[in-house]
Amino acid sequence: MSAITSFDEFLNGLWKQNPIFVMVLGMCPTLAVTVSAVNAISMGLATTFVLGASCLLVSLLRNSIPKQVRIASYIVIIATFVTVVDYAIQAISLDLYVALGAYIKLIVANCVLLGRAEAHAAKNPPLPATTNAIGMGLGFTLGLFMIGCVREILGAGKLFGVSLFGDHFQPWVVMVLPPGGFFVLGFWLIVIAAFSHFSSKRNAQLKGVQL
Amino acid sequence: MSMELRTSPHQHSGRDVPTIMRNVVYAMLPICAFSVWQFGLSAAALILVVTASCLVAERINNLIRGTSSSLSDWSATITGVILALTLPPSFPLWMGAVSGFAAIWLGKSLFGGLGQNPFNPALVGRAFVQAAFPTAISTWVPAFSSQRFNEFIPTSLTAPFMTPPDIALWVKQQGIDAFTGATPLARWKFENITPSSMDFLTGHITASAGETSAILILLCGLYLAARKFLDWRIPVAVLGSAMLLAWVFHLAQPLRYPTPSFVLLSGGLMLGAWFMATDMATSPVTPRGIWLYGALIGILTVVIRYFGGLTEGVMYAILIANATASLLDQFNQPRILGGKRGKS
């Protein structure tokens, strides 16, 4: 029983309550660092690590943190792990560090993190809290990746830095500019909304239920 | 005996949306014809491709939404033709198709279709390609090249998603020595050279497909105004405020700022004032709102041209004014007959 529920917790964040496409949280990195697939994935994974680690710690400490100072305590915990990630990325790849810029430090202000800590980790034991957090983090990564792919393919004619259409490809400059982030995010929101609309219609038909 | 009870209006003028839209398309046909005569095959293909892509986008939208076809209201046609006329004639056809889809989907369908759009769809399409392909949209070709009816301008037939070829060699082959590749507005801005007004009237300038002959646009616009298919106050307010502001600047510093006639005749101001600012869905309906809206477009155009980084400001001026349209209506409600002054 417990294994099934924790797997559900995991899937929940990945798709059903996807932080980007369903909850529409964490829009700042979503729009700012998704100009390429690599940037999107590394941002997503950094967030996933901070999310998992801080939710584990918050869940462990949930009974000893006084209610009045809980938000400040969560922020301190999150900021600790953000600092770790910040130095780690700087050590692994300076190029990536420069490309992501201030947005690594801004993970601390990402509402997905505080939202998870407050709404889930503070009320649940460590195992489900961490599973849920990692599911959410991977869902966030998936969302960033989906946006990053489209923006990199149209904006530079590349995917993961590999040229797809040869030298004569005409880049769509708008896709690497901020409006491109809004356009692609909106495009995916429409596609996903249409998808869930049609699948719920079909489910209703299969069950013979009048919507 | 049966009696039918009806509320007003009891008499209908017979004018509906398709009639108005169709007549606007008719009024634009001379401008299209002039553009084709001037730039040849490329302009003709551009107008056809952009209009066709708008119609396809509209139809796809109908199919997705499961509504009946809205092609017969002519609004998508009008968007396509206006959009094509604002693009440079050498614009690659595939980019033209992209702009058509952007115009209908981003500019109109997303907001709920005809009448619901806050911004002029054609200008949304143009703004999209302006941001996406800034080089292609500022590449200009000379008018009246000798082979214009026999061959395309090389950039027109660029393969989809590919960069258009360099046009300098082709321009040289046309036997034109002194072609700078800049519009009159750019030449004024960067070199302080203004062409004579005569060139503007006859179309001997480099410009977008449909903005070359100010006098033809004026005649077509006057026809529409005379038949009351557009509100004459909007173009009068746009052109009047632009001219007044330009005249003030010219008086203050005649060497630095061009004459008011240059401001009126150059670029897309004429086309924008008559055919884009007057879009019924995106302009105010209250009398005072209309005057303010037109004046805002004229002033913004001159300000962007004189002090902005861009050479031409009509597109952004109209888009910004579109955004203010409903506010202008709200703040300028006319006094109800018998109502107290100062209260609406």
Side-chain angles (χ1 to χ4, degrees):
Chain A
M1 182 67 199
S2 144
I4 296 165
T5 30
S6 54
F7 188 64
D8 276 352
E9 295 267 20
F10 181 73
L11 281 187
N12 224 0
L14 203 59
W15 191 251
K16 226 162 140 192
Q17 288 184 17
N18 187 293
I20 292 181
F21 296 129
V22 181
M23 300 201 289
V24 200
L25 290 177
M27 286 298 107
C28 178
T30 305
L31 296 169
V33 299
T34 51
V35 287
S36 74
V38 173
N39 282 6
I41 288 189
S42 30
M43 184 70 202
L45 291 180
T47 312
T48 308
F49 169 74
V50 177
L51 198 54
S54 55
C55 279
L56 176 66
L57 206 57
V58 167
S59 178
L60 286 171
L61 296 173
R62 69 186 187 281
N63 294 325
S64 34
I65 296 176
K67 275 267 171 300
Q68 291 85 344
V69 293
R70 65 185 193 286
I71 302 286
S73 318
Y74 301 156
I75 292 291
V76 170
I77 292 172
I78 294 167
T80 312
F81 289 108
V82 169
T83 313
V84 171
V85 163
D86 190 44
Y87 284 132
I89 291 180
Q90 199 171 3
I92 296 166
S93 162
L94 198 59
D95 288 341
L96 189 64
Y97 185 77
V98 173
L100 294 180
Y103 293 99
I104 306 174
K105 296 174 187 82
L106 281 175
I107 293 176
V108 75
N110 191 329
C111 38
V112 177
L113 286 125
L114 198 57
R116 277 304 95 190
E118 168 79 4
H120 198 278
K123 295 169 188 159
N124 289 290
L127 183 66
T130 318
T131 330
N132 178 283
I134 289 176
M136 282 286 165
L138 291 180
F140 188 68
T141 313
L142 179 74
L144 291 183
F145 175 67
M146 282 161 74
I147 296 171
C149 276
V150 177
R151 287 183 77 182
E152 192 177 357
I153 290 174
L154 285 179
K158 293 173 181 171
L159 191 58
F160 293 108
V162 181
S163 183
L164 294 178
F165 304 102
D167 296 337
H168 291 290
F169 180 79
Q170 167 74 45
W172 297 35
V173 180
V174 70
M175 285 301 164
V176 294
L177 298 175
F182 284 99
F183 287 146
V184 178
L185 175 66
F187 163 77
W188 279 122
L189 285 174
I190 289 178
V191 169
I192 289 167
F195 180 76
S196 60
H197 175 73
F198 285 121
S199 70
S200 68
K201 233 182 187 173
R202 206 179 45 217
N203 283 346
Q205 273 174 355
L206 284 178
K207 288 180 195 158
V209 179
Q210 200 91 40
L211 262 183
Chain B
M1 191 181 118
S2 72
M3 207 190 275
E4 196 184 352
L5 286 176
R6 275 196 195 169
T7 57
S8 61
H10 301 292
Q11 203 175 12
H12 191 265
S13 69
R15 247 178 213 188
D16 48 9
V17 171
T19 321
I20 298 171
M21 295 287 173
R22 205 176 60 238
N23 276 279
V24 178
V25 174
Y26 292 159
M28 281 190 302
L29 286 180
I31 303 172
C32 294
F34 186 76
S35 169
V36 172
W37 181 59
Q38 201 179 16
F39 294 106
L41 275 181
S42 288
L46 185 68
I47 294 171
L48 289 178
V49 166
V50 174
T51 311
S53 66
C54 283
L55 292 173
V56 169
E58 181 86 5
R59 191 77 192 97
I60 292 177
N61 185 49
N62 289 152
L63 292 177
I64 293 175
R65 292 176 60 137
T67 51
S68 57
S69 169
S70 56
L71 298 187
S72 57
D73 69 13
W74 289 79
S75 63
T77 317
I78 225 171
T79 300
V81 175
I82 293 182
L83 176 55
L85 292 178
T86 64
L87 295 171
S90 60
F91 203 55
L93 295 177
W94 75 267
M95 295 183 187
V98 169
S99 72
F101 277 91
I104 294 294
W105 284 347
L106 289 179
K108 204 167 81 176
S109 303
L110 278 183
F111 294 103
L114 180 62
Q116 312 289 326
N117 47 314
F119 300 104
N120 187 320
L123 289 176
V124 171
R126 192 185 196 278
F128 184 83
V129 283
Q130 170 106 54
F133 314 116
T135 322
I137 209 164
S138 48
T139 305
W140 311 93
V141 291
F144 299 111
S145 73
S146 54
Q147 291 293 308
R148 65 186 185 278
F149 293 117
N150 301 327
E151 58 170 27
F152 283 97
I153 301 165
T155 48
S156 289
L157 296 177
T158 315
F161 298 103
M162 295 299 141
T163 314
D166 190 13
I167 206 154
L169 190 68
W170 178 83
V171 170
K172 210 169 267 172
Q173 283 167 357
Q174 302 304 305
I176 301 159
D177 336 302
F179 181 68
T180 56
T183 59
L185 277 170
R187 294 194 69 191
W188 163 73
K189 190 157 199 159
F190 303 120
E191 301 162 40
N192 210 0
I193 304 169
T194 54
S196 77
S197 299
M198 205 54 215
D199 287 343
F200 283 118
L201 296 179
T202 55
H204 277 271
I205 48 168
T206 54
S208 291
E211 60 182 36
T212 46
S213 176
I215 201 133
L216 190 63
I217 298 169
L218 188 65
L219 286 176
C220 294
L222 283 176
Y223 161 78
L224 284 178
R227 294 207 54 195
K228 299 210 166 95
F229 284 119
L230 57 78
D231 194 326
W232 61 271
R233 286 171 294 189
I234 296 175
V236 167
V238 173
L239 299 173
S241 63
M243 199 165 99
L244 208 63
L245 191 59
W247 181 67
V248 170
F249 275 112
H250 185 66
L251 277 191
Q253 278 186 302
L255 289 177
R256 170 115 192 265
Y257 296 110
T259 57
S261 68
F262 173 81
V263 171
L264 279 196
L265 297 174
S266 60
L269 187 60
M270 223 21 129
L271 192 67
W274 288 99
F275 288 97
M276 290 176 242
T278 53
D279 181 353
M280 292 172 182
T282 60
S283 55
V285 291
T286 55
R288 208 172 354 148
I290 288 174
W291 287 110
L292 288 173
Y293 164 83
L296 183 65
I297 295 177
I299 291 167
L300 279 176
T301 302
V302 173
V303 167
I304 295 176
R305 279 185 187 179
Y306 285 7
F307 306 109
L310 298 161
T311 54
E312 174 60 307
V314 175
M315 172 176 73
Y316 292 117
I318 296 179
L319 286 173
I320 293 170
N322 282 343
T324 67
S326 70
L327 269 183
L328 286 175
D329 269 349
Q330 213 173 321
F331 291 137
N332 293 290
Q333 289 294 331
R335 192 159 56 92
I336 297 164
L337 190 64
K340 287 214 174 87
R341 202 167 283 277
K343 277 185 186 174
S344 60

